[in-house]
Amino acid sequence: MVKPLKGVVVSNKMMKSVTVMVERIYKHPRWGKYVKARKKYMAHDENNMCGPGDKVLMVHSRPLSKNKKWVVTEILRKERVYVHDNVGKRKELHVFDGDLGLANANAGGGDDVTGLGAAPQVIGVPSKPAQGSFRGFASSVFGF
Protein backbone atom coordinates (compact mmCIF):
# COMPACT_ATOMS: atom_id res chain seq x y z
CA MET A 1 0.00 0.00 0.00
CA VAL A 2 1.39 3.38 -1.04
CA LYS A 3 1.01 6.32 1.33
CA PRO A 4 -1.43 9.06 0.18
CA LEU A 5 0.27 12.26 -0.97
CA LYS A 6 -0.64 15.91 -0.35
CA GLY A 7 0.32 18.50 -2.93
CA VAL A 8 -0.59 21.69 -4.76
CA VAL A 9 -2.22 21.71 -8.20
CA VAL A 10 0.11 23.33 -10.72
CA SER A 11 -1.89 22.81 -13.90
CA ASN A 12 -5.43 21.79 -14.81
CA LYS A 13 -5.32 22.42 -18.56
CA MET A 14 -6.13 18.80 -19.42
CA MET A 15 -9.55 17.19 -19.34
CA LYS A 16 -10.04 15.11 -16.15
CA SER A 17 -6.32 15.41 -15.32
CA VAL A 18 -4.24 17.68 -13.13
CA THR A 19 -0.55 18.10 -12.45
CA VAL A 20 0.22 18.13 -8.72
CA MET A 21 3.49 19.31 -7.14
CA VAL A 22 4.41 17.33 -4.03
CA GLU A 23 7.11 18.72 -1.74
CA ARG A 24 8.95 16.66 0.84
CA ILE A 25 11.71 17.46 3.29
CA TYR A 26 14.40 14.92 4.12
CA LYS A 27 17.76 14.87 5.87
CA HIS A 28 20.73 14.50 3.52
CA PRO A 29 22.43 11.17 4.30
CA ARG A 30 25.98 12.51 4.19
CA TRP A 31 25.81 16.17 5.19
CA GLY A 32 22.90 16.05 7.62
CA LYS A 33 21.31 19.18 6.14
CA TYR A 34 17.55 19.21 5.54
CA VAL A 35 16.70 19.39 1.84
CA LYS A 36 13.43 20.18 0.05
CA ALA A 37 12.62 17.88 -2.85
CA ARG A 38 9.78 18.59 -5.27
CA LYS A 39 8.19 16.16 -7.70
CA LYS A 40 5.31 16.54 -10.13
CA TYR A 41 2.66 13.84 -10.47
CA MET A 42 -0.16 13.47 -13.00
CA ALA A 43 -3.44 12.74 -11.22
CA HIS A 44 -6.98 11.90 -12.32
CA ASP A 45 -9.65 14.51 -11.51
CA GLU A 46 -12.97 12.95 -12.53
CA ASN A 47 -15.19 16.05 -12.22
CA ASN A 48 -12.63 18.74 -13.18
CA MET A 49 -13.09 20.35 -9.75
CA CYS A 50 -9.43 21.27 -9.10
CA GLY A 51 -7.93 24.63 -9.99
CA PRO A 52 -4.38 25.95 -9.90
CA GLY A 53 -3.20 26.52 -6.33
CA ASP A 54 -5.64 24.08 -4.70
CA LYS A 55 -4.18 21.78 -2.05
CA VAL A 56 -5.29 18.19 -2.74
CA LEU A 57 -4.96 14.67 -1.37
CA MET A 58 -4.09 11.87 -3.84
CA VAL A 59 -4.08 8.09 -3.55
CA HIS A 60 -2.27 5.57 -5.72
CA SER A 61 -4.33 3.51 -8.18
CA ARG A 62 -3.91 1.24 -11.14
CA PRO A 63 -2.26 2.88 -14.18
CA LEU A 64 -4.87 5.04 -15.95
CA SER A 65 -2.53 6.15 -18.74
CA LYS A 66 1.18 6.28 -19.50
CA ASN A 67 1.87 8.89 -16.79
CA LYS A 68 -1.29 8.84 -14.64
CA LYS A 69 -1.22 6.53 -11.62
CA TRP A 70 -2.77 8.78 -8.95
CA VAL A 71 -6.38 9.83 -8.25
CA VAL A 72 -7.42 13.04 -6.48
CA THR A 73 -9.68 11.99 -3.61
CA GLU A 74 -10.17 15.26 -1.74
CA ILE A 75 -9.61 18.98 -2.15
CA LEU A 76 -8.15 20.09 1.18
CA ARG A 77 -8.12 23.85 0.47
CA LYS A 78 -9.43 25.84 -2.50
CA GLU A 79 -7.40 28.74 -3.84
CA ARG A 80 -8.98 32.21 -4.02
CA VAL A 81 -10.59 33.07 -7.33
CA TYR A 82 -10.12 36.53 -8.86
CA VAL A 83 -12.23 37.50 -11.86
CA HIS A 84 -10.52 39.93 -14.25
CA ASP A 85 -11.89 41.85 -17.22
CA ASN A 86 -9.94 41.82 -20.48
CA VAL A 87 -7.97 44.98 -19.57
CA GLY A 88 -6.44 43.34 -16.49
CA LYS A 89 -8.14 45.43 -13.81
CA ARG A 90 -9.82 43.56 -11.01
CA LYS A 91 -13.58 43.59 -11.55
CA GLU A 92 -14.88 41.26 -8.85
CA LEU A 93 -13.43 39.35 -5.92
CA HIS A 94 -14.99 36.20 -4.50
CA VAL A 95 -14.51 36.49 -0.74
CA PHE A 96 -14.66 33.74 1.87
CA ASP A 97 -16.61 34.15 5.14
CA GLY A 98 -13.46 34.81 7.17
CA ASP A 99 -12.54 37.80 5.00
CA LEU A 100 -15.88 39.63 5.24
CA GLY A 101 -14.65 42.01 7.95
CA LEU A 102 -11.90 43.34 5.67
CA ALA A 103 -14.24 43.52 2.68
CA ASN A 104 -16.85 45.50 4.63
CA ALA A 105 -14.21 47.86 6.03
CA ASN A 106 -13.01 48.72 2.53
CA ALA A 107 -16.53 48.95 1.10
CA GLY A 108 -17.08 52.34 2.76
CA GLY A 109 -15.33 54.07 -0.14
CA GLY A 110 -13.18 57.16 0.22
CA ASP A 111 -9.43 57.55 0.05
CA ASP A 112 -8.61 54.97 2.70
CA VAL A 113 -6.43 52.30 1.10
CA THR A 114 -4.99 50.82 4.27
CA GLY A 115 -8.19 50.44 6.29
CA LEU A 116 -6.52 52.27 9.22
CA GLY A 117 -8.45 55.53 8.95
CA ALA A 118 -6.23 58.44 7.93
CA ALA A 119 -3.04 58.03 5.94
CA PRO A 120 0.05 57.40 8.11
CA GLN A 121 2.32 60.41 8.59
CA VAL A 122 6.02 60.60 9.34
CA ILE A 123 6.77 62.97 12.20
CA GLY A 124 9.79 65.30 12.05
CA VAL A 125 10.48 65.04 8.33
CA PRO A 126 9.38 67.97 6.17
CA SER A 127 7.30 67.14 3.13
CA LYS A 128 9.60 69.14 0.82
CA PRO A 129 13.34 69.70 1.17
CA ALA A 130 14.53 73.30 1.42
CA GLN A 131 15.05 74.99 -1.90
CA GLY A 132 18.67 74.81 -2.93
CA SER A 133 20.93 72.23 -1.35
CA PHE A 134 20.84 69.04 0.64
CA ARG A 135 22.44 70.88 3.58
CA GLY A 136 19.22 72.83 4.21
CA PHE A 137 17.20 69.62 4.19
CA ALA A 138 19.67 67.81 6.48
CA SER A 139 19.74 70.65 8.97
CA SER A 140 15.93 70.74 9.16
CA VAL A 141 15.75 66.99 9.76
CA PHE A 142 18.81 66.30 11.92
CA GLY A 143 19.08 69.71 13.61
CA PHE A 144 22.55 70.90 12.59
Side-chain angles (χ1 to χ4, degrees):
M1 185 73 184
V2 180
K3 181 174 145 180
L5 297 177
K6 292 179 187 175
V8 178
V9 175
V10 179
S11 170
N12 68 341
K13 295 181 181 180
M14 302 157 282
M15 293 175 62
K16 297 189 177 187
S17 298
V18 291
T19 305
V20 179
M21 175 85 67
V22 175
E23 190 173 89
R24 70 183 183 96
I25 298 174
Y26 68 96
K27 193 171 184 177
H28 192 278
R30 184 167 189 176
W31 307 115
K33 184 177 179 180
Y34 286 95
V35 182
K36 273 187 194 177
R38 295 181 187 98
K39 188 171 179 181
K40 286 199 241 179
Y41 293 95
M42 295 278 295
H44 184 67
D45 180 19
E46 182 64 36
N47 299 324
N48 285 327
M49 295 294 293
C50 297
D54 292 351
K55 189 165 187 168
V56 296
L57 182 70
M58 306 183 302
V59 294
H60 199 268
S61 72
R62 64 179 177 84
L64 299 169
S65 70
K66 178 183 173 186
N67 297 323
K68 238 183 2 178
K69 297 163 187 68
W70 295 86
V71 177
V72 174
T73 56
E74 184 181 352
I75 299 175
L76 301 173
R77 182 181 51 84
K78 290 290 281 181
E79 183 66 21
R80 284 186 161 194
V81 178
Y82 293 94
V83 180
H84 297 274
D85 59 4
N86 55 5
V87 183
K89 297 179 183 174
R90 186 169 67 199
K91 187 172 18 173
E92 179 184 347
L93 168 65
H94 299 283
V95 182
F96 294 109
D97 292 337
D99 298 334
L100 287 178
L102 180 63
N104 291 337
N106 291 335
D111 237 5
D112 186 17
V113 182
T114 60
L116 300 174
Q121 297 180 359
V122 180
I123 299 171
V125 178
S127 59
K128 274 180 150 178
Q131 192 73 11
S133 70
F134 179 75
R135 176 172 233 132
F137 173 71
S139 65
S140 67
V141 174
F142 302 111
F144 41 57

